[in-house]
Amino acid sequence: MNDLKCLETFVWVARLGGFRAAAGQLNTTQPSISARIDQLESHFGVVLFGPPQRRTTLTREGTVLLEYAERMLSIMTEARAVVSRADAVRGVLRLGVAETLVHSLMPRLIAVINANYPELVVDMVVDTTNVLSEQLLRGQVDVSMQVGPVADPRAINQRLCHLPLGWVASPELPIGDGPLTLARLAEWPIISFSHNSPLAEEIKRALAGEGREQVRLWGSASLTIMIRMALDGMGSCILPLALVREELERGRLRSIAVEGVTLPPNGFQIAYLRKPNNFLAALVARHASQIGKTLEEGTPPDPIFRSGRSKNTIRHPGANGLQMSP
């Protein structure tokens, strides 16, 4: 039974005093009106109109139902009016974000939030994947965007994007032209993610597979520092190539082909907890997934216009700004 349509029909029959008048009001046929009332009576197990030969006067049960039906339709009318407004989505949403996404996906997501939900305030925390997973499960953030899923049955995980890793170095680093061996690169430090991150563990395993367990893998909790070290010629660097596209195009860094080492996938997920009234998290997750797809495909996003009415603010924890790794 289409509950709302049947209830609406019932209300109009009661208000207009007949099935024919209700059919005209709802732009349908009298048999359709009769069928809906029959469904409603069957659903509740009562007779709503009587006497049977006329069916224009409400019974006692019909009088009781009419009050509830009018209240329900009124609430639905109000809901339609509210949810159609941009300021209907309001409150504070706590986002936990891997730093790689701060430099790639987040500017687009914040633009979408500002344009579509000007009353929604974002409180953004940037940290490592391990920390973000813990904060989500403890209720300290509402949404986590991180490397890999949150391994807990309470979490809903959605694919966000895949940003391939690559090797880069300063043109001034005297490593020669590629393809290069890992042994050659290991003469200098290899700069990568913080040692306590899952991605760093995968990179260590990939390097160890080439018999280089003692590679000097310098971990950093900041992509900004990693890129700076690479620009200064301190060693080669493993990081998402999308983040250094400008440095590569300008010749400040160069991409390196390395023999015998397959870097692990760098896939990001967005996660939020499976709990009632978590619609804000689900709403933002849907937008983020759509943006992640365009980012991964290298296609430009739809034009975004920032709303002048937005109350959105972003707070970056830490005295020195963004200092956390993916």
Side-chain angles (χ1 to χ4, degrees), residues 100-277:
T100 298
L101 299 176
V102 172
H103 298 278
S104 51
L105 184 143
M106 282 305 299
R108 300 183 185 186
L109 180 59
I110 293 301
V112 168
I113 292 173
N114 280 344
N116 293 282
Y117 314 112
E119 298 299 317
L120 182 60
V121 176
V122 173
D123 191 8
M124 188 169 70
V125 177
V126 184
D127 218 311
T128 61
T129 288
N130 290 340
V131 172
L132 293 177
S133 293
E134 292 177 2
Q135 289 182 337
L136 180 69
L137 297 177
R138 292 174 181 171
Q140 295 171 324
V141 297
D142 302 305
V143 176
S144 177
M145 294 188 284
Q146 59 182 56
V147 176
V150 176
D152 190 285
R154 292 172 292 171
I156 297 174
N157 293 284
Q158 296 178 12
R159 188 180 188 277
L160 199 54
C161 61
H162 176 259
L163 301 178
L165 297 172
W167 300 78
V168 298
S170 168
E172 305 300 321
L173 189 68
I175 55 178
D177 297 326
L180 302 172
T181 65
L182 183 58
R184 176 60 174 164
L185 281 180
E187 296 177 17
W188 291 269
I190 295 176
I191 305 160
S192 185
F193 304 107
S194 175
H195 285 183
N196 64 352
S197 69
L199 199 53
E201 291 299 324
E202 292 292 331
I203 291 171
K204 289 177 188 177
R205 279 192 283 270
L207 300 181
E210 290 298 303
R212 300 293 305 190
E213 291 87 348
Q214 302 305 317
V215 165
R216 288 181 294 165
L217 190 63
W218 286 12
S220 172
S222 169
L223 285 170
T224 303
I225 292 176
M226 290 167 61
I227 296 171
R228 182 71 263 167
M229 293 170 72
L231 288 169
D232 291 343
M234 300 181 68
S236 61
C237 188
I238 302 171
L239 77 172
L241 294 177
L243 302 188
V244 288
R245 187 174 291 118
E246 183 177 348
E247 285 80 3
L248 292 170
E249 291 174 351
R250 294 186 177 185
R252 300 175 63 197
L253 290 174
R254 67 183 181 108
S255 183
I256 306 169
V258 181
E259 294 178 341
V261 179
T262 301
L263 294 176
N266 189 30
F268 292 89
Q269 298 259 336
I270 184 165
Y272 56 95
L273 294 185
R274 195 187 312 271
K275 60 182 181 179
N277 302 322

